[in-house]
Amino acid sequence: MPRIEKADRTGFCFGVKRALGKLEKIASERGGIETLGAVVHNRRVLERLAGIGVRTVSSVEAITGDTVVTSSHGVSPDVEEGIRARHIEVVSTTCPFVRRAQMAARRLAEAGFFVIVFGDAGHPEVRGILGWAKGQGLATVEPAAVAALKPLPRRLGLLAQTTQVPADFATFAKKIIDLALARDAEIRIIDTICHDIRERQAAALELARRADLMLVVGGRSSANTNRLAELCGAVTETHLIETAAEIEPGWLKGKELIGVTAGASTDECDVDEVIARLEGLV
Ligand code: SF4
């Protein structure tokens, strides 16, 4: 019979717990509240929040109330100014680790550095960080996008989306160093990957190396959940699932050790549901 093992690090991260605590308090005090964008990338959590009157709006123009909550991913200063210009109060739940990356982008830009954020250009956290660089930057995971800058800025500042894989950021940074140092450049690298993500990835990878199958529980739109699935998928068979109901019994055939891990915005009770279903199937 296969054994089932949960990775050492699961459950909400510090930033998500903090954001949800603030949001639940304000929603219960006011009987409902709007958030600008999904406060976390987890459909089940958002459904639970909807039950206490939390409504997600996708743009500043769509806000109907006099207060809006911004997500743990943070927003750019322009977006905050746009909200305040409409005389709407902003309650920020920006994670302190994201804030650190935003402030690093601002400092670099103010010091004359062109800011390169190693990350997904379409992700709200990355758009927010770049916004603090006041237009002096770009977001990419491709060194070629930096090489294509004509001319290549002489002063380059490198940051990472908080949920990136440290080894990937290191590889990217080395390529930028190779590219730029031959051209009289000055480079500053600031490691802005969050420590929760670093420990969660290390724990998942340690388990994945021993397991015959890994299940990664979390939202398909969650950046850190996808990174976990990619990391585990490089060493063993891996499936990203949002709920226990998605487990296919065929996956378990012939397996000795089944590992379970979860993204930073996945509730521990969802992980426990997955383990309970696995125990019923093996
Ligand atoms: S994953 Fe890290 S940076 Fe993102 S919300 Fe959680 S603690 Fe903050």
Side-chain angles (χ1 to χ4, degrees), residues 13-16 72 95-98 125 162-163 194-197 224 264:
C13 65
F14 155 78
V16 167
S72 56
C95 173
F97 296 111
V98 175
E125 177 199 314
T162 56
T163 49
C194 142
H195 76 87
D196 176 286
I197 292 299
N224 80 84

Side-chain angles (χ1 to χ4, degrees), residues 245-256:
E246 292 176 27
I247 300 170
E248 290 182 20
W251 296 343
L252 316 184
K253 283 208 182 89
K255 305 296 192 306
E256 286 183 9

Side-chain angles (χ1 to χ4, degrees), residues 107-108 111 113 155-159 186-190:
R107 273 199 320 277
L108 286 167
F113 285 79
R155 306 182 99 187
L156 296 172
L158 267 59
L159 307 175
E186 179 182 348
I187 303 173
R188 265 163 73 180
I189 302 170
I190 305 177

Side-chain angles (χ1 to χ4, degrees), residues 187-207:
I187 303 173
R188 265 163 73 180
I189 302 170
I190 305 177
D191 178 3
T192 45
I193 295 172
C194 142
H195 76 87
D196 176 286
I197 292 299
R198 201 180 289 275
E199 289 162 16
R200 195 175 291 259
Q201 288 175 351
L205 198 53
E206 187 280 322
L207 178 53

Side-chain angles (χ1 to χ4, degrees), residues 236-248:
T236 195
E237 180 184 334
T238 300
H239 300 278
L240 191 163
I241 54 172
E242 292 196 343
T243 66
E246 292 176 27
I247 300 170
E248 290 182 20

Side-chain angles (χ1 to χ4, degrees), residues 191-235:
D191 178 3
T192 45
I193 295 172
C194 142
H195 76 87
D196 176 286
I197 292 299
R198 201 180 289 275
E199 289 162 16
R200 195 175 291 259
Q201 288 175 351
L205 198 53
E206 187 280 322
L207 178 53
R209 286 196 175 111
R210 294 183 285 115
D212 309 295
L213 171 72
M214 279 298 285
L215 298 183
V216 180
V217 191
R220 289 197 169 80
S221 58
S222 155
N224 80 84
T225 306
N226 281 292
R227 287 295 92 69
L228 276 179
E230 283 163 21
L231 266 183
C232 296
V235 294

Side-chain angles (χ1 to χ4, degrees), residues 6-24:
K6 181 159 82 170
D8 275 348
R9 192 77 186 227
T10 54
F12 289 141
C13 65
F14 155 78
V16 167
K17 266 191 216 149
R18 182 176 169 276
L20 292 178
K22 267 190 170 186
L23 186 56
E24 282 161 6

